[in-house]
Amino acid sequence: MHDADLIRMANQIATFFKAYPHDEAVRETANHIKSFWDPRMRRQIHEIGQRADHGLDPVVIEALTQVPVPAPVTS
């Protein structure tokens, strides 16, 4: 998936939960990513979050600390 698409999607999730108290917004953003994103998407968003120019909402960056990085698939 293109980085820009993942950034847009993650930021939309964070925007939805911004009406919640901060800690809950972070937790629910993390829960959504853990529940609905496949492992490749979760690995990719973690990689994006490591970049200086990631473009991710601060709620997403904080939520990613609660989302485990899936191990790469080896075949």
Side-chain angles (χ1 to χ4, degrees):
M1 185 169 263
H2 295 284
D3 287 358
D5 293 328
L6 286 178
I7 293 165
R8 178 183 47 78
M9 290 166 45
N11 286 344
Q12 285 176 332
I13 296 164
T15 298
F16 175 82
F17 288 115
K18 282 209 176 179
Y20 291 52
H22 179 77
D23 290 345
E24 190 174 354
V26 170
R27 184 177 62 251
E28 293 303 324
T29 298
N31 286 340
H32 183 91
I33 292 170
K34 286 188 283 191
S35 298
F36 298 106
W37 288 30
D38 74 35
R40 292 168 299 178
M41 293 167 67
R42 285 181 276 150
R43 265 193 309 279
Q44 190 174 348
I45 200 67
H46 273 285
E47 290 169 5
I48 292 167
Q50 297 301 311
R51 299 181 201 149
D53 62 343
H54 52 68
L56 292 167
D57 186 287
V59 169
V60 175
I61 293 297
E62 195 172 341
L64 289 177
T65 66
Q66 300 176 23
V67 177
V69 180
V73 176
T74 56
S75 41

